[in-house]
Amino acid sequence: MSKFSSLIPLPGKNSVNTGKRSCPTKLLVSRHGMPSEKLTSVCKFPTNPYWSKRMITRDVGPFSVTGFDKFIELLIKANAEIKKQYPELYKVMGTAGCLCVRHVRGNPGSLSNHGLGMAVDIKIDGVLSPYGGSKMQAGLLDIYRVYKTFDIFWGVNFKVSDAMHFEASDVLVKKWISEGKL
């Protein structure tokens, strides 16, 4: 195990994601529909043609994922920057996945941003950071420092902290919409 997987206290909620909010899932569903007709706790691939044709699988540097094309392209750039700034961290990064059409954990009926392929869960040293609680893996803070420059939102601010979770922010989604990319 590396220093990046050691547990540290969560940052203050007002010190991260400034000027950004979580991915506007309801806006995206109103524009393009639900990715699948029924949400369960089991991961599925989208059945809605709009969403299914936008999903791609790519090597994003330290791992491969399937997700929304524009989000995957952004992860490639963001992870290349992590490789430059934090090469030792880059070597121990992995993922628990990106695309997973399902409901939000503990909230049946509410679409997870993984269901749109616009969220990724990051592992360090092959391990996920604890869900909830007051601690997280140290390397996630360095990942956040890079990802925030790409308008990626960090789940550490959720009602129940999800420090392993990174997703397209509202700023990013609205930019893609204004550019005709979404």
Side-chain angles (χ1 to χ4, degrees):
M1 297 301 233
S2 70
K3 66 180 180 180
F4 301 110
S5 58
S6 64
L7 296 180
I8 62 171
L10 296 174
K13 291 203 183 259
N14 294 331
S15 67
V16 297
N17 294 321
T18 52
K20 295 176 187 75
R21 286 184 286 200
S22 184
C23 183
T25 309
K26 289 179 183 176
L27 171 65
L28 293 172
V29 168
S30 73
R31 292 177 66 85
H32 304 294
M34 289 288 283
S36 291
E37 289 179 27
K38 186 176 180 188
L39 298 177
T40 67
S41 61
V42 178
C43 288
K44 296 185 233 171
F45 194 83
T47 55
N48 173 322
Y50 176 83
W51 292 110
S52 63
K53 73 180 179 184
R54 298 295 299 268
M55 299 304 154
I56 61 173
T57 301
R58 295 288 185 279
D59 179 337
V60 297
F63 51 83
S64 291
V65 288
T66 300
F68 183 74
D69 53 8
K70 294 297 167 200
F71 187 67
I72 299 303
E73 291 167 10
L74 191 67
L75 282 179
I76 291 168
K77 293 175 187 172
N79 288 342
E81 190 60 30
I82 288 173
K83 186 176 183 179
K84 283 184 208 170
Q85 292 186 34
Y86 304 100
E88 295 305 310
L89 172 58
Y90 179 87
K91 290 177 188 175
V92 297
M93 285 175 63
T95 186
C98 183
L99 176 63
C100 177
V101 179
R102 63 171 171 77
H103 61 69
V104 173
R105 189 183 326 188
N107 195 355
S110 183
L111 176 65
S112 165
N113 292 322
H114 287 282
L116 302 173
M118 293 188 195
V120 64
D121 288 338
I122 300 293
K123 288 182 177 182
I124 298 178
D125 289 322
V127 177
L128 287 170
S129 193
Y131 179 74
S134 61
K135 302 251 184 202
M136 64 172 210
Q137 292 172 317
L140 294 171
L141 189 56
D142 294 330
I143 292 169
Y144 166 70
R145 287 181 178 120
V146 172
Y147 278 11
K148 74 178 180 179
T149 66
F150 290 87
D151 289 328
I152 296 174
F153 183 89
W154 191 16
V156 76
N157 274 38
F158 290 158
K159 191 181 214 178
V160 176
S161 179
D162 194 359
M164 71 190 92
H165 179 95
F166 294 89
E167 66 182 46
S169 69
D170 63 326
V171 171
L172 187 56
V173 167
K174 289 171 183 173
K175 178 182 169 202
W176 287 336
I177 290 170
S178 74
E179 294 172 347
K181 296 176 180 177
L182 181 61

